């Protein structure tokens, strides 16, 4: 995985938008974002991380133009809409690639994380983020869940800033 500050230049969201300013693993950890590169042959490492986080459910999701058909553009729009989840989000990229953008809490700027096959990515509950494919228009990922697989996002607005999950996320970072 490679992380860098988003350049904020208007244009296709699937372009890299690389500002040329890298983001360190330490900074990502400071906002609760964790990642590993795990070859597909090392499923035991993925299983260990899932078990450590008390996750016992998984599914596979493929996001492609062919697979989504007429819903492709609308689905990408939903994924790219800034949101948070009330549960931790865990993804393991099996094939393809894409971008997860996360908000740096202190500055509210976007950090772009480029994920490719073998990357396992964990976002804490309460972090503002968004997702888009890159120009290859394809990703196949394993979603790892606690309960039954489901994807519920909470769109960012004034009510999410006071959402207890968001408040707890900020408290965990030391923000009052």
């Amino acid at each position: 995985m490679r992380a860098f500050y988003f350049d904020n230049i208007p244009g296709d969201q699937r372009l890299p938008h690389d500002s040329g300013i890298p983001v360190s693993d330490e900074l990502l950890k400071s906002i609760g974002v964790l990642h590993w590169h795990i070859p597909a042959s090392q499923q035991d490492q993925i299983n260990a991380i899932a078990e450590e986080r008390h996750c016992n459910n998984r599914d596979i999701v493929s996001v492609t133009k062919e697979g989504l058909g007429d819903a492709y553009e609308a689905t990408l729009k939903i994924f790219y809409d800034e949101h948070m989840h009330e549960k931790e989000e865990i993804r393991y990229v099996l094939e393809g690639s894409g971008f997860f953008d996360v908000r740096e809490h202190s500055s509210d700027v976007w950090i772009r994380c480029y994920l490719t096959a073998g990357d396992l990515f964990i976002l804490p509950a309460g972090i503002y983020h968004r997702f888009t494919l890159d120009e290859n228009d394809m990703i196949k990922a394993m979603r790892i869940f606690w309960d039954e697989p489901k994807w519920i996002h909470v769109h960012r607005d004034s009510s999410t800033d006071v959402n207890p999950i968001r408040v707890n996320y900020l408290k965990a970072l030391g923000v009052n």
Side-chain angles (χ1 to χ4, degrees):
M1 188 197 82
R2 195 170 68 83
F4 46 88
Y5 285 100
F6 189 81
D7 67 11
N8 288 316
I9 296 172
D12 188 338
Q13 68 195 35
R14 298 170 307 131
L15 295 174
H17 289 281
D18 188 343
S19 66
I21 304 169
V23 172
S24 69
D25 288 346
E26 292 76 28
L27 193 148
L28 289 172
K29 285 180 187 173
S30 77
I31 61 172
V33 176
L34 305 174
H35 69 90
W36 297 264
H37 186 80
I38 305 170
S41 62
Q42 296 181 6
Q43 285 292 311
D44 55 328
Q45 191 174 355
I46 297 166
N47 293 339
I49 291 168
E51 186 176 317
E52 176 184 297
R53 304 189 91 73
H54 308 288
C55 297
N56 54 17
N57 282 300
R58 300 170 190 198
D59 70 2
I60 305 294
V61 61
S62 293
V63 180
T64 65
K65 284 183 179 182
E66 298 78 25
L68 294 172
D70 292 339
Y72 175 77
E73 293 296 333
T75 300
L76 279 189
K77 236 179 178 170
I78 291 168
F79 290 163
Y80 200 64
D81 185 36
E82 184 173 2
H83 62 279
M84 63 167 236
H85 298 283
E86 294 186 340
K87 299 262 186 168
E88 189 175 64
E89 184 170 352
I90 305 173
R91 302 290 181 264
Y92 176 69
V93 181
L94 298 164
E95 297 175 32
S97 48
F99 299 106
F100 271 93
D101 298 336
V102 296
R103 286 282 188 191
E104 182 179 34
H105 76 281
S106 58
S107 65
D108 212 35
V109 298
W110 285 115
I111 295 171
R112 178 153 271 202
C113 301
Y114 183 54
L115 280 69
T116 60
D119 287 331
L120 187 129
F121 193 64
I122 300 178
L123 295 176
I127 192 172
Y128 290 130
H129 66 282
R130 62 190 183 189
F131 171 79
T132 189
L133 294 174
D134 63 8
E135 292 178 286
N136 293 317
D137 286 322
M138 185 277 200
I139 197 166
K140 181 177 180 182
M142 176 188 303
R143 302 185 305 172
I144 302 171
F145 300 93
W146 294 260
D147 302 317
E148 289 301 310
K150 56 186 166 186
W151 185 83
I152 300 171
H153 79 279
V154 180
H155 174 77
R156 184 177 184 177
D157 61 23
S158 58
S159 67
T160 52
D161 289 335
V162 295
N163 179 300
I165 302 299
R166 174 70 181 169
V167 170
N168 286 338
Y169 165 70
L170 293 172
K171 281 182 185 175
L173 298 180
V175 178
N176 294 328

